[in-house]
């Protein structure tokens, strides 16, 4: 390594060039703290570590995601991958797509590679119509697994979710406080547990705060597909019924609802208030900036990695569901009812 580079690293690490040289050549007489400082300086300046000083990976960890089109999933992936890397694990990202490999094929591939564990985000475990014996089989072969945003009563593993019921309580209460009475609900298919929980939260809050009957509430529910197109499709019948606000199952759906409203010449929030769910990246920059219920992505991602590493180390973790409370983020897409 050139003298200039040694000097740069020495300055960055706050040590002498001689010390840098000792660390790089694996010579004794350097404290562990100093050694780490030099290696960190090396990493930060973008120099490659000598092969013998490269970090040995503690193992591979599979991260199985449904898709990366909705920006909430890359947000989860980033938190989980960087946390795993900090703990010395190498993340392997597996993204499903309708035409690509299925979740089962990815799991097979991960098992062949001898992964230390797998984190599933919104996978088939969140789909009540799917066969869940696949997860039971993983648990029975003692593979550490952690599930995000979904729950399987018969599977002995940690589950970590955002509290969808509470999320809808927050969204509906916000709109009721603004004077809205005809509040629609637009979400994905009911076979997904997250949708069932959101629907329960919406239904309970609408009945409690507005005194509506089940039949009244049913009329205001439109289940379609997650995504912008699904939101736009669900918006049509709701707008026909004269709703003044819509609570959505995802931010992407909320953007679809706003698009459908605009195509009818309605203004948001002047004629229609819209609340999303997730607080996916960039939602504060939409037009108008989106009022939404934020999933605590960082807290959930950290908890998932922590639970998985405990499982890998053979420590017992509580095999229950941890629910993280979401928060309402009020921006420009909601306003008073007229």
């Amino acid at each position: 390594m050139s003298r200039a580079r040694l000097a740069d690293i020495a300055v960055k690490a706050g040590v002498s060039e001689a010390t840098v040289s000792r660390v790089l050549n694996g010579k004794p007489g350097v404290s562990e703290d100093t050694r780490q400082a030099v290696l960190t300086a090396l990493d930060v300046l973008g120099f490659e570590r000598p092969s013998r000083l490269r970090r040995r990976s503690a193992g591979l960890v599979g991260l199985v995601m449904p898709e990366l089109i909705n920006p909430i999933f890359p947000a989860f992936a980033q938190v989980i991958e960087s946390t795993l890397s900090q703990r010395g694990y190498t993340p392997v990202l597996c993204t499903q797509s309708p035409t690509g490999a299925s979740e089962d094929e990815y799991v097979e591939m991960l098992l062949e590679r001898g992964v230390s564990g797998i984190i599933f985000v919104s996978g088939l475990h969140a789909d009540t119509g799917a066969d869940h014996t696949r997860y039971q089989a993983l648990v029975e072969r003692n593979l550490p697994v952690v599930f995000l945003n979904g729950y399987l009563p018969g599977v002995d593993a940690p589950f970590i979710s955002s509290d969808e019921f509470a999320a809808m309580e927050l969204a509906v209460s916000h709109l009721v406080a603004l004077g809205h009475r005809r509040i629609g609900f637009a979400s994905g298919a009911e076979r997904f547990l997250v949708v069932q929980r959101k629907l329960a939260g919406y239904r309970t809050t609408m009945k409690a705060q507005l005194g509506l009957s089940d039949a009244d509430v049913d009329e205001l529910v439109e289940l379609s597909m997650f995504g912008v197109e699904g939101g736009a499709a669900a918006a049509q019948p709701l707008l026909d019924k004269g709703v003044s606000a819509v609570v959505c199952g995802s931010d992407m759906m909320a953007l679809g609802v706003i698009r459908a409203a605009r195509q009818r010449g309605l203004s948001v929030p002047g004629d229609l208030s819209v609340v999303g769910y997730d607080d996916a990246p960039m939602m504060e920059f939409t037009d108008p900036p989106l009022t939404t219920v934020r999933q605590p992505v960082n807290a959930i991602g950290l908890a998932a990695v922590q639970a998985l590493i405990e499982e890998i180390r053979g420590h017992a973790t509580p095999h229950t569901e941890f629910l993280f409370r979401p928060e309402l983020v009020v921006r420009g897409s909601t306003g008073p009812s007229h």
Side-chain angles (χ1 to χ4, degrees), residues 74-104:
F76 268 118
Q78 190 160 9
V79 171
I80 292 168
E81 291 195 322
S82 62
T83 309
L84 281 167
S85 299
Q86 284 160 14
R87 308 288 168 86
Y89 288 86
T90 305
V92 181
L93 179 62
C94 301
T95 311
Q96 299 162 57
S97 68
T99 51
S102 69
E103 183 177 309
D104 289 340

Side-chain angles (χ1 to χ4, degrees), residues 1 6 9-10 13 15-42 49-54:
M1 190 173 278
L6 279 179
I9 296 164
V15 299
S16 69
E17 288 179 40
T19 302
V20 173
S21 175
R22 294 183 85 89
V23 171
L24 296 183
N25 294 314
K27 297 272 188 331
V30 183
S31 77
E32 186 51 34
D33 286 353
T34 305
R35 204 178 86 85
Q36 282 307 325
V38 170
L39 292 177
T40 302
L42 205 66
R49 293 184 177 199
S51 55
R52 68 176 167 283
L53 295 177
R54 285 193 197 134

Side-chain angles (χ1 to χ4, degrees), residues 107-121:
V107 169
E108 209 44 55
M109 193 176 80
L110 291 169
L111 293 174
E112 281 167 17
R113 298 218 171 147
V115 291
S116 304
I118 303 177
I119 296 175
F120 292 92
V121 180

Side-chain angles (χ1 to χ4, degrees), residues 16 19-20 40 57 61 103 107 124 129 132 144 184 219 233 292 309 335:
S16 69
T19 302
V20 173
T40 302
S57 169
V61 169
E103 183 177 309
V107 169
L124 292 171
H132 296 145
E219 195 197 342
T292 186
I309 289 176

Side-chain angles (χ1 to χ4, degrees), residues 66-67 70 72-73 76 120-129 132 147-152 159-169 185-203 221 223-227 247-251 253 277-278 295 300 321-324 326:
E67 41 105 351
N70 179 343
I72 195 66
F73 292 123
F76 268 118
F120 292 92
V121 180
S122 302
L124 292 171
H125 66 282
D127 183 342
T128 56
H132 296 145
F147 299 95
L148 265 63
N149 288 343
Y151 183 62
L152 303 170
F159 291 86
I160 298 168
S161 298
S162 183
D163 188 338
E164 318 264 351
F165 189 99
M168 293 303 107
E169 281 181 317
F185 176 81
S187 188
E190 200 167 353
R191 67 171 202 271
F192 296 111
L193 184 68
V194 291
V195 177
Q196 293 169 16
R197 288 177 167 183
K198 283 192 183 89
L199 196 47
Y202 164 80
R203 186 182 293 284
V221 171
L223 301 183
S224 153
M225 280 163 39
F226 280 114
V247 176
C248 303
S250 74
D251 292 337
M253 290 194 83
Y277 173 80
D278 280 338
Q295 280 204 64
I300 290 175
E321 185 173 32
F322 301 90
L323 285 181
F324 282 73

Side-chain angles (χ1 to χ4, degrees), residues 200-251:
Y202 164 80
R203 186 182 293 284
T204 303
T205 314
M206 290 288 283
K207 285 160 70 173
Q209 298 200 7
L210 298 174
L212 299 180
S213 68
D214 277 322
D216 296 335
V217 176
D218 285 342
E219 195 197 342
L220 299 171
V221 171
E222 281 300 325
L223 301 183
S224 153
M225 280 163 39
F226 280 114
V228 176
E229 296 74 15
Q236 306 298 351
L238 289 173
L239 291 170
D240 289 344
K241 290 171 186 167
V243 298
S244 66
V246 181
V247 176
C248 303
S250 74
D251 292 337

